[in-house]
Amino acid sequence: MTDYVTLLKNKELKATFQRMSILEVINRAGHMSVEAIFAEVSKVHPSLSLATVYKNIVLMVEKGVLVEVPITGKKSKYELAKEDHIHLVCTECGEVEDRPKLQEADRVLHTLTDEESFALHKQQINLYGVCRACQMEVAS
Amino acid sequence: MTDYVTLLKNKELKATFQRMSILEVINRAGHMSVEAIFAEVSKVHPSLSLATVYKNIVLMVEKGVLVEVPITGKKSKYELAKEDHIHLVCTECGEVEDRPKLQEADRVLHTLTDEESFALHKQQINLYGVCRACQMEVAS
DNA sequence: ATAATTGCAAATTTTTTGCAGGTTC
DNA sequence: GAACCTGCAAAAAATTTGCAATTAT
């Protein structure tokens, strides 16, 4: 159970119902677009404004609570900030899944950047393909 | 020297001045946003329409001539389709540089997806940090 | 000659902004 | 009570579309 109140307060953000709901739905779905967040939170808070969603996403990304996941050919999704990981992006259903970043890959990439004094701050690895579920769909 | 006429014709696209200019400026800069492409090509073709740039980017991405490079916190850039590689993205100056994709990293990622029958089609690795040039700027 | 492409203007979609009223600490 | 947040409406920015004129093959 994540304590969103504490999480927000630690970043000097007020714990409003809107913010906590945003974090909640993102946590539930894993990765969500702005529109999807708006649609989902609207269910429990019908008077929600899309502008509020935008403002909060910008703010929470700045504060490091959320992370943008840009996706080729689609609009960005957002996820809760967490341990470094890899994304499997299904080009059929659009789902994004997390996988642990393997030590070995990590080491190789650091070696590359170290060699030429590129100050590496953040890695982003997206693997695009078709997930098992969608492969079975096609087969049937 | 790339032969853009042949490149386009192979994809069943007419070799217009606008298209060849777009490919030319992208090839020169490496990675460009829609606005930057429009600004640059406008120099040699002042009557160019922004709509034409959009239409051509969509089309050439569909045909596999161009590749979208989505970047966290910025608008996507576009590059010529080429051998698989890694991107070093400088968060100071915005420049994107290509680096060869190392065999070792490639193998590790394939192992990951093979294990769970994820049909991997495309890898996208972006490394965000500060390039050497920008590090020296700050120091001075 | 034909079919594709361009440029323009208008329409749509996406995102940002300003501000009055409401909420959190 | 002070500072911050929300929702609304309006504005700005980004992208798409329709169509007549032009261009490539």
Side-chain angles (χ1 to χ4, degrees), chain A residues 68-76 124 126 128, chain B residues 26 30-34 37 57-58 60-72 74-82 85 87 96 122-126:
Chain A
E68 181 190 351
V69 182
I71 298 175
T72 299
K74 306 222 167 187
K75 276 189 277 182
S76 289
Q124 173 185 105
N126 286 0
Y128 297 86
Chain B
I26 293 177
H31 311 79
M32 294 180 95
S33 67
V34 174
I37 293 167
I57 287 176
V58 169
M60 293 196 282
V61 166
E62 273 174 16
K63 296 285 188 173
V65 177
L66 293 181
V67 172
E68 180 189 351
V69 182
I71 298 175
T72 300
K74 305 221 168 189
K75 275 187 280 183
S76 289
K77 298 194 175 197
Y78 295 85
E79 66 184 4
L80 301 187
K82 54 196 154 192
H85 59 276
H87 291 122
V96 179
K122 180 189 156 192
Q123 300 179 24
Q124 174 186 104
I125 302 183
N126 286 0

Side-chain angles (χ1 to χ4, degrees), chain B residues 9 14-15 51 54-55 58 75:
Chain B
K9 291 193 177 164
K14 291 189 174 172
Y54 273 107
K55 285 171 184 168
V58 169
K75 275 187 280 183

Side-chain angles (χ1 to χ4, degrees), chain B residues 9-23:
Chain B
K9 291 193 177 164
N10 284 342
K11 303 292 175 129
E12 326 195 72
L13 294 174
K14 291 189 174 172
T16 65
F17 180 69
Q18 289 85 337
R19 278 177 191 159
M20 303 212 286
S21 303
I22 289 173
L23 295 176

Side-chain angles (χ1 to χ4, degrees), chain A residues 9 14-17 34 50-51 54-55 58 75:
Chain A
K9 290 194 176 164
K14 290 186 175 172
T16 65
F17 179 68
V34 174
L50 180 55
Y54 272 106
K55 285 171 184 168
V58 169
K75 276 189 277 182

Side-chain angles (χ1 to χ4, degrees), chain A residues 93-111:
Chain A
C93 64
E95 271 308 297
V96 178
E97 294 189 52
D98 295 342
R99 288 294 177 274
K101 160 96 71 38
L102 304 164
Q103 284 296 318
E104 201 177 348
D106 196 75
R107 183 179 49 70
V108 172
L109 295 176
H110 262 99
T111 304

Side-chain angles (χ1 to χ4, degrees), chain A residues 45-97:
Chain A
H45 195 287
S47 67
L48 176 72
S49 164
L50 180 55
T52 297
V53 176
Y54 272 106
K55 285 171 184 168
N56 279 318
I57 288 176
V58 169
L59 203 56
M60 294 196 282
V61 165
E62 274 174 15
K63 296 285 187 173
V65 177
L66 292 180
V67 172
E68 181 190 351
V69 182
I71 298 175
T72 299
K74 306 222 167 187
K75 276 189 277 182
S76 289
K77 298 194 175 197
Y78 295 85
E79 65 183 5
L80 301 186
K82 55 197 152 190
E83 202 169 72
D84 203 11
H85 59 276
I86 286 176
H87 291 122
L88 299 191
V89 183
C90 180
T91 52
E92 286 298 316
C93 64
E95 271 308 297
V96 178
E97 294 189 52

